[in-house]
Structures are given as structure tokens and as C-alpha cells.
Amino acid sequence: MNESMATVFGLLGGLALFIFGMNMMSESLQKVAGDKMKKVLGVLTRNAVCGMLAGALVTAVLQSSSATTVLVIGFVSAGLMSLKQGISVIFGANIGTTMTAQLMAFKISDYIMPIVFIGFLIAFIAKKEKVKFVGQTIFAFGLLFVGIEMMGDVMKPLATSPVFINMMEKVSHIPVLGVGVGLVMTLVVQSSSATIAVLQSFASQAGPDGASVIGLVGAIPILLGDNIGTTITAILASIGQSKDAKRCAIAHSVFNITGSFIFIWIIKPFAKFVEMISPKGNELDVISRQIANAHMSFNIINTLIWLPLLPVMVKIVMFIVRDDKEVSIEDYKEKSFLDKNVISQPIAAMYLVSQEIRRTGRLVSEMIGNMKATVMNNDSKALAELEKNAKLVTEIDENTVSYISGMFSNGSLTEEQSSTTAGLLYVLNDIARVSKRCEDASPVIRAKLEGKYKFSKDAVEELGKVIDNVEIMYRTSIVSLENGDTKTARKVFDYRKELRNMEKKFNKNHLKRLRKKNCKPEFTYPFSNMLHSLERIGDSCNGMVEEVMDNVRFLELEEA
């Protein structure tokens, strides 16, 4: 293999190790954090300053501002976060992403392999799941530096190449060209952290004069281009999402583009400021830290500029992506909480699943109410609404089961999270069964409306009593899932016994009415069938509260 090919493959191999290590560290950190992420994510939905701080913290864990922005887009699209809150989180994400560059600036060449070995050893021999994840985090951290070292080794010949030096001189003297280089690099790699790591590694190489081959002044424009390039991921994630989600993605772009536009005019003063706040020493020894500090300073200063102007940012993105129409209540009713882009972030994905099951639960609760209105008051509109909701619940059920399957196949869930998510799936199955039982009753109700069946007054009252019992039982089941209250959950078992007794009693009453000629024989099947459908709802409610007994409940984002 010739020298050029060896350099290219060495650079690509080092970059691959770096990105693999970064993704592995992100996934392991999330698993180590576990339920603590609920507190961090809970802060996201508070005020703008808290959102910014939480955005920085989440990004430090996820090791990617793009990942945080995708998460925010999912939350905003689902209506769980306002546009203003979402934008403030994105501001914080830009600060949080600078942590990776700060880590890369440490000179730990002599300790890389011991770190890799220690991480591997802990992950290999640990029995406890969390300890294993700690080992994986340490191992991944070491891999980051293995990748950096590999890239640094293959870049040394480039630093003395006349052709490459000429190219770097052009980039150093034409800042816009440097911005373009950084932009293209990040678009190709889809990670600003990776391209900044490459930049740090390359800038640490000595040119013919013994100084950095590019210098801080030449590196800053490339850094600005990296910050612009990272916004493309968010733009792509917003395709097909709500208008507010698109606005969040555009806010990310506006933030970085406007910041880069300002800083490109003050590169030399900015470089002097960075040199002033960075460690002193030989340029080759300190430039990696200088680049990390420049990256952090750019994002902190840009955030301090934009945070007081948050309402202005909202107006800008509202102007770029305008509303076509007023959003109706029906639009919100049919709006899914699920976002496939968030599926690799366990706590966030579990929260969205919980919200989607809640939505399903509300629709089924409406169906029970509609069934009662139709039986008791011959309300044809209520029956039409019941049938419409039944179709919607079936669709939601299919989509949510597919989403949960994706969470498991992704492999990002811990054992505890897997158990909880499986419990949520069982709850969804029971809610879907309740919907099916209501749907099974609708032909009988429709026939009653059309005059094919004319139940006696006593029969209608009995059906009303059974539906009342079902409604109380179902709502009690949902409440127990909301608050995890096992005492409330146990009440459902009593309602279940009462429901079974009512079915037996009212079937006997119907037979008595037959003997007295108060009911026609052909009404026996529809009446008994409807009672049976309602009685089977009790089994599904029992199933829901049994999950509550196993500590399954709808996931809440806790406030710190």
C-alpha cells in the first residue's frame, strides 16, 4: 500500500474508532445514569434558563448536540415542550457539546492503553449491570484517544507536505474558505465532535517552521464551519415533523450561522482572547486546549447573546415556518407522541411511549362514555365517535408495538428498563382489548338504534349499570397506573367480582322477563353477548392493575 493510501485509511480508521468510542460512551453513560436521566429531562420542560442548563447537561451525557436537538424536536413535536423551551434547550446543547473537545485536549498518551484495559476488565468480569456499564464507559473513553492518536500519527507526513501546507495557508488567510472546509467535513461525518477532534489532532502537528501547521487563527474558521455543519442533522430529523419541530431545527441553524457570521469578522481578537484564557506554553502543546476553549467560548458567548433575545428567535423561526391554519382539538387528539429519532435514548423513548399509552387510554375512556350515551340515550353521534376511536386505537396500538419492538432491537435498554417497557406493552395490550370489547358491542348498539332490537326498560337500565361499573373499574385502573398506587389498584379486583355477579344476575333477570313475555327470545343473544363483552373488559382491567402490582406505571419526568 502506498503512502497516500496508508494515510487515508489511517485517518478513516482513527475516525471510525473515535466515532465508535463516542457512541459507545454515550450509550453506556445513559445506562449508568439510568433513572437519573428522568430528573435531567424533567428540567427541560421548565423555564428557559433551566432548559438551557439541562440542555448542556443532557448533551454532556449524550456526547452530541445533534442528539439533544433531535430529542428536543421529538418533545416539541409531541407537544410536551413549548417552542420557547425547546429553543432554550438547544442553546444549552451547543454549550454541552464542547465537553468532548475539552476531553480530547488532555494529554494522556501514556495512559491510553491502561485505560482501555481497565475498562475492558471491569466490563468483562463485572456481574452487576451498572458496574459493567461503568467499565464500558471507561473502555469507550480510551477508544476515543486511541482514535485520536491514530489520526495524529498518520497526519505527521501531511504536516510537511508542500501541497498541504499551501492549502492550509489559503485556509488561514481566507476565513470563508476555512468555514467551508469545516462545514463540508461535518456534513460528511455527521458529527461536529469528530471533526473538531480531527482539527485538534491536525493542529497539534508541527509544520516546517516548528510551529502548528495551521495555528489557532487558521483553526477558528474551520471550527465555525463545524458548528454550522452540525445543524444539518437537526434539519433532517425535523422532516415530516410538526411545524414547531421544524422551527426548533431552524433555531439551531440560526444560532450557529449568526454566531459564525459575527465571529468571522473578529477572528484575530477572538484568538488573542482564547490564548489569554488558555494555558501558556509551546504552541504544539497547548493548541488542542486552545481550540477546545475557542469552541466553548464561541458557544457560551453566542448563548449569552441569544438567551435575552429568545422571544426574537421565536419570532424569526415563526416567520420562516408560518402557520397555515389554526390547530383544532381534533388535530391534537390524533397527534402521536412517538418519534423514531428518539428511540436510541431509553428514558426519553419510554416517556414518549407512556404518553402514547395515556393517549390511547383517554380515547378508550371516551369510547366507554360513548357506549353509555348510545345505550341509554340512543345517541347516534356517540356511536359514530366510538367506531372512529376504535379505528384510531387499533392504529396507535400497531404503531406503539412497532416502536417498542424497535427499542428492544436497538439494544439501548438496561434490564430494568426492559422490564418496565415490557410492562407498558402489556398495559397497552389490555387497553387495546378494552377498545376491542367496546367495538364488539357496537353492532348490537347499532341494531338497537335502527330498531332491530328493542330492549325493555329494565334491560336498558341493567346495561347502564354494567357500563357504569366498567367505567369506574377502567378509570380506577388508569389512575393506579398514573400514580402507582397499589391500594387503589386492589379496588379493581372488587369491581371485577361485582361485574361478574352482575352478568350472572342480569342474564337470569332476562330469562325471567322471557318467561313473563316482557322480552322477545331473539333479543337473548344480543343482550347476553353485550353483557359478556362488558364482562370481559373486567379481565383487561385486572391485567392492567396486575402490572401496577409489579411496579409498572406511566413514566414521569422527575423535577430535580
Side-chain angles (χ1 to χ4, degrees), residues 404-426:
I404 291 173
S405 298
M407 289 170 66
F408 277 92
S409 64
N410 183 269
S412 57
L413 296 169
T414 64
E415 286 183 17
E416 185 179 344
Q417 289 166 349
S418 295
S419 176
T420 301
T421 305
L424 289 172
L425 176 61
Y426 301 147

Side-chain angles (χ1 to χ4, degrees), residues 261-504:
F261 180 78
I262 293 169
F263 276 77
I264 202 170
W265 301 102
I266 56 169
I267 287 173
K268 288 185 178 178
F270 181 53
K272 288 189 180 297
F273 167 75
V274 172
E275 288 171 356
M276 186 176 68
I277 64 171
S278 301
K280 305 298 182 284
N282 181 278
E283 186 183 30
L284 294 178
D285 294 331
V286 299
I287 193 164
S288 184
R289 179 66 64 193
Q290 287 176 346
I291 291 172
N293 288 344
H295 186 34
M296 179 171 279
S297 299
F298 166 78
N299 283 290
I300 290 175
I301 293 168
N302 209 17
T303 300
L304 292 175
I305 292 170
W306 270 114
L307 197 59
L309 299 174
L310 188 55
V312 177
M313 178 67 88
V314 172
K315 287 183 179 178
I316 290 171
V317 297
M318 291 282 284
F319 176 78
I320 296 172
V321 181
R322 302 185 186 189
D323 283 317
D324 296 328
K325 61 174 184 175
E326 291 294 321
V327 179
S328 69
I329 294 173
E330 201 64 27
D331 290 333
Y332 281 116
K333 183 178 175 180
E334 298 192 10
K335 185 170 160 185
S336 175
F337 288 97
L338 304 179
D339 183 349
K340 289 187 177 178
N341 294 305
V342 182
I343 213 163
S344 61
Q345 298 172 31
I347 294 296
M350 288 168 67
Y351 179 60
L352 293 180
V353 165
S354 288
Q355 292 297 323
E356 190 73 346
I357 296 174
R358 275 191 174 105
R359 179 167 81 106
T360 314
R362 286 193 293 269
L363 287 169
V364 173
S365 182
E366 284 182 21
M367 289 174 69
I368 296 171
N370 289 329
M371 182 166 54
K372 182 179 177 181
T374 311
V375 169
M376 303 303 292
N377 304 317
N378 292 325
D379 188 340
S380 58
K381 287 183 179 179
L383 179 59
E385 191 67 20
L386 184 154
E387 291 171 343
K388 181 181 176 182
N389 280 358
K391 290 179 182 177
L392 185 56
V393 168
T394 300
E395 183 183 329
I396 294 170
D397 182 36
E398 290 175 359
N399 292 338
T400 309
V401 170
S402 175
Y403 190 86
I404 291 173
S405 298
M407 289 170 66
F408 277 92
S409 64
N410 183 269
S412 57
L413 296 169
T414 64
E415 286 183 17
E416 185 179 344
Q417 289 166 349
S418 295
S419 176
T420 301
T421 305
L424 289 172
L425 176 61
Y426 301 147
V427 169
L428 174 65
N429 290 339
D430 282 318
I431 291 175
R433 287 189 191 102
V434 175
S435 171
K436 186 63 179 170
R437 298 292 78 77
C438 292
E439 193 178 8
D440 288 345
S442 67
V444 175
I445 301 171
R446 182 167 292 282
K448 177 180 176 294
L449 282 177
E450 292 171 354
K452 293 178 182 177
Y453 300 131
K454 190 175 181 182
F455 294 136
S456 67
K457 183 180 177 182
D458 289 340
V460 171
E461 286 179 0
E462 287 170 352
L463 287 173
K465 288 177 183 178
V466 174
I467 295 171
D468 283 341
N469 182 286
V470 164
E471 194 168 28
I472 293 170
M473 189 188 315
Y474 178 77
R475 287 181 179 173
T476 304
S477 302
I478 296 296
V479 168
S480 65
L481 282 162
E482 293 280 358
N483 56 31
D485 185 358
T486 54
K487 187 176 180 181
T488 301
R490 285 191 182 93
K491 292 180 182 178
V492 173
F493 298 133
D494 294 330
Y495 293 135
R496 178 73 189 88
K497 289 177 184 175
E498 187 180 345
L499 181 62
R500 189 164 286 165
N501 291 334
M502 288 172 81
E503 183 195 15
K504 290 178 181 177

